[in-house]
Amino acid sequence: MKEIDGEGTLVLRVKTRPNDANKGGDIFGGWLMSQIDIAGAIAAAECAKGPVVTVAVKDLKFIQPLFIYDIASFYTKVTRVGSTSVTVEVEVFAQRYQEGERPRDRVKVSDATLIYVAVSKPGQKRTIPS
Ligand SMILES: CC(C)(COP(=O)(O)OP(=O)(O)OC[C@H]1O[C@@H](n2cnc3c(N)ncnc32)[C@H](O)[C@@H]1OP(=O)(O)O)[C@@H](O)C(=O)NCCC(=O)NCCS
């Protein structure tokens, strides 16, 4: 995926918690997928001027681990607007953070492409206003 940092919009920042971690101390991939979906949906709903649902997730990559207390920043870029769908690229960067220390060492940990469909109610798509 093309780097969007700098071009993308920061839509979400979250500090990870011990409850989000696997036994080894890194963050559960399912937690990160959920946050990526939320970040993408924020961008898609703004673009679609109303509610959206996720229809597909493509090319989701876990590039580096995310650790407890890291600050995860989610950048989005809308790359396509169709008749009813919006395609969003999401990139996630971590600021490494140990309790009691300042955040440092920003690294890219994940990226993904997601497709959302504008809906008027669950299961009923709507045309995106131009
Ligand atoms: C989203 C939903 C309303 C789409 O209904 P549908 O009538 O099957 O829609 P279509 O097949 O006509 O696709 C709608 C749009 O999505 C796009 N799309 C659908 N599946 C896609 C896929 N796998 N990859 C990329 N785009 C896809 C279509 O190309 C179309 O785009 P366009 O109108 O901009 O050209 C329906 O599938 C649904 O409700 N799914 C469940 C969503 C959900 O529960 N998500 C999880 C919780 S948010």
Side-chain angles (χ1 to χ4, degrees), residues 37 41 52-58 80-87 114-119 121-128:
D37 190 22
V52 296
V53 292
T54 314
V55 75
V57 179
K58 295 187 173 172
R80 182 179 176 277
V81 182
S83 167
T84 66
S85 70
V86 180
T87 302
L114 301 94
I115 298 106
Y116 298 86
V117 173
V119 291
K121 60 181 186 181
Q124 189 169 312
K125 64 188 176 188
R126 67 181 167 88
T127 302
I128 296 171

Side-chain angles (χ1 to χ4, degrees), residues 56-98:
V57 179
K58 295 187 173 172
D59 302 328
L60 193 150
K61 291 195 287 294
F62 297 112
I63 300 161
Q64 293 282 329
L66 192 58
F67 298 111
I68 299 170
Y69 302 126
D70 283 356
I71 296 171
S73 297
F74 296 77
Y75 292 83
T76 62
K77 185 179 181 189
V78 171
T79 55
R80 182 179 176 277
V81 182
S83 167
T84 66
S85 70
V86 180
T87 302
V88 183
E89 290 181 1
V90 180
E91 282 186 331
V92 189
F93 289 82
Q95 277 176 285
R96 299 303 189 200
Y97 193 98
Q98 300 285 311

